[in-house]
């Protein structure tokens, strides 16, 4: 076994209370584009034109058309072996929390239950007037922008945009879970967007081991206890499969 994986396996198998933090990389093998890198969304689209409150105020239809096209990709996407391995971990461990920056809903689709969607969900829409939130799985949405059935206000995606503050209660839940855990596993995130970018260091400061899985080096690589270079859909099942077989022995 390669050294990084061996260490990661040792840490995953000896942990009882695990927090997993995921980014767009975990869904890349499901065909959902990441944000940064060669094929990243932000290389072809300007986030200031599409993912800010100002952009939505200026042209809600344009912003919705972009989100509608992303929802179409997500609706056809299936969870990959990385998502399922995380679900298996949740079943095996005494305590488990998943923090995801992803808005695609694939962790739920894979059966993971204790999920904090720190950036919200593309399957929820929120009224800009009365703030009513509802689930919406229509693809495409017939009328853009959709209107609130309670007050007639314009509905927006219930995701966190650039320039917006993540609800404090959500951040508190993440920090509490990290404080209680005995391992933080960080998967498929570039580690450049706060507050998640600092969560590895927060865990380290509380002397929790941190394992990272990514196809490339991130700002945290080298600071963590193990960094495994590889695709999450290939590495995660290896870690969890070994763990499952160990429990059977
Ligand atoms: P990024 O696109 O910034 O980073 C994706 C990471 O996944 C990179 O580090 C890749 O190397 C890695 N990666 C790609 N394919 C992988 C694979 N198969 N296995 C493992 N790793 C892989 O995405 P995030 O870090 O999630 O926020 O971005 C954070 C936030 O920035 C997003 O939630 C979004 C964006 O702006 C908002 O929209 C608020």
């Amino acid at each position: 076994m390669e050294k990084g994986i061996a260490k990661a396996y040792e840490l995953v198998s000896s942990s009882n209370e695990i927090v997993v933090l995921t980014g767009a990389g975990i869904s890349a093998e499901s065909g959902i584009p990441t944000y940064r890198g060669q094929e990243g969304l932000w290389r072809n689209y300007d986030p200031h034109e599409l993912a800010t409150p100002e952009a939505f105020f200026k042209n809600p239809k344009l912003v919705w058309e972009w989100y509608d096209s992303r929802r179409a990709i997500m609706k056809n996407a299936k969870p990959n072996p990385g998502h399922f391995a995380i679900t298996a971990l949740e079943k095996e461990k005494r305590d488990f929390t998943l923090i995801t920056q992803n808005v695609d809903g694939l962790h739920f689709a894979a059966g993971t239950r204790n999920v904090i969607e720190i950036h919200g969900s593309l399957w929820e829409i929120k009224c800009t007037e009365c703030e009513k939130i509802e689930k919406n799985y229509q693809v495409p949405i017939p009328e853009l922008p959709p209107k609130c059935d309670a007050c007639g206000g314009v509905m927006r995606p219930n995701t966190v945009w650039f320039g917006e503050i993540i609800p404090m209660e959500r951040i508190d839940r993440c920090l509490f879970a990290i404080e209680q855990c005995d391992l933080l596993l960080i998967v498929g995130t570039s580690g450049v967007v706060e507050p998640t970018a600092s969560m590895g260091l927060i865990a380290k400061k509380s002397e929790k081991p941190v394992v990272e899985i990514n196809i490339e080096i991130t700002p945290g690589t080298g600071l963590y206890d193990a960094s495994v270079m590889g695709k999450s859909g290939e590495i995660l099942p290896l870690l969890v499969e070994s763990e499952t077989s160990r429990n059977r022995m």
Side-chain angles (χ1 to χ4, degrees):
M1 219 186 241
E2 189 250 317
K3 201 167 148 240
I5 300 190
K7 181 72 182 165
Y9 168 60
E10 182 196 316
L11 288 167
V12 169
S13 29
S14 59
S15 81
N16 295 308
E17 286 117 18
I18 191 162
V19 173
V20 181
L21 165 64
T22 63
I26 184 113
S27 293
E29 289 156 77
S30 295
I32 299 179
T34 59
Y35 295 92
R36 295 171 185 82
Q38 284 295 329
E39 308 292 325
L41 286 174
W42 297 154
R43 192 164 274 247
N44 297 313
Y45 297 96
D46 179 356
H48 297 103
E49 295 293 325
L50 296 164
T52 63
E54 293 77 19
F56 189 72
F57 184 70
K58 197 168 102 190
N59 196 341
K61 190 161 186 283
L62 174 79
V63 170
W64 256 120
E65 278 166 359
W66 187 64
Y67 279 102
D68 209 34
S69 67
R70 288 183 62 203
R71 280 163 55 112
I73 294 171
M74 290 175 187
K75 185 134 194 181
N76 288 324
K78 302 268 178 297
N80 66 57
H83 295 104
F84 287 118
I86 290 174
T87 304
L89 264 188
E90 179 173 44
K91 292 196 175 121
E92 277 166 19
K93 299 299 178 186
R94 193 165 59 211
D95 202 12
F96 175 94
T97 304
L98 174 71
I99 303 166
T100 187
Q101 298 166 91
N102 300 345
V103 294
D104 55 35
L106 285 184
H107 284 297
F108 284 118
T112 306
R113 288 291 155 251
N114 193 23
V115 181
I116 303 170
E117 292 179 305
I118 191 163
H119 290 160
S121 168
L122 257 191
W123 303 112
E124 279 182 5
I125 60 176
K126 179 172 149 188
C127 179
T128 52
E129 301 285 334
C130 71
E131 302 202 334
K132 182 183 172 204
I133 295 172
E134 61 184 54
K135 298 265 181 217
N136 179 301
Y137 297 98
Q138 289 173 303
V139 173
I141 292 179
E143 186 207 350
L144 293 176
K147 301 282 168 26
C148 177
D149 56 15
C151 76
V154 171
M155 304 287 280
R156 57 166 280 179
N158 192 23
T159 55
V160 177
W161 281 329
F162 288 95
E164 291 187 315
I165 291 170
I166 296 171
M168 199 58 215
E169 168 270 337
R170 250 183 244 170
I171 299 176
D172 277 349
R173 281 178 64 205
C174 298
L175 296 180
F176 181 77
I178 291 171
E179 194 50 48
Q180 301 300 309
C181 79
D182 60 11
L183 177 70
L184 174 63
L185 177 57
I186 302 178
V187 184
T189 176
S190 55
V192 295
V193 175
E194 295 293 359
T196 41
S198 295
M199 287 182 183
L201 287 183
I202 290 169
K204 286 303 304 165
K205 194 157 182 287
S206 304
E207 296 177 4
K208 317 281 182 183
V210 178
V211 170
E212 174 190 55
I213 300 172
N214 202 303
I215 53 169
E216 60 186 26
I217 286 170
T218 74
T221 312
L223 303 173
Y224 301 146
D225 299 81
S227 284
V228 185
M229 294 278 260
K231 292 184 173 181
S232 47
E234 293 169 7
I235 304 293
L236 278 167
L238 287 180
L239 297 181
V240 180
E241 225 169 72
S242 319
E243 165 78 341
T244 310
S245 358
R246 193 180 67 96
N247 286 344
R248 276 202 223 102
M249 284 194 279

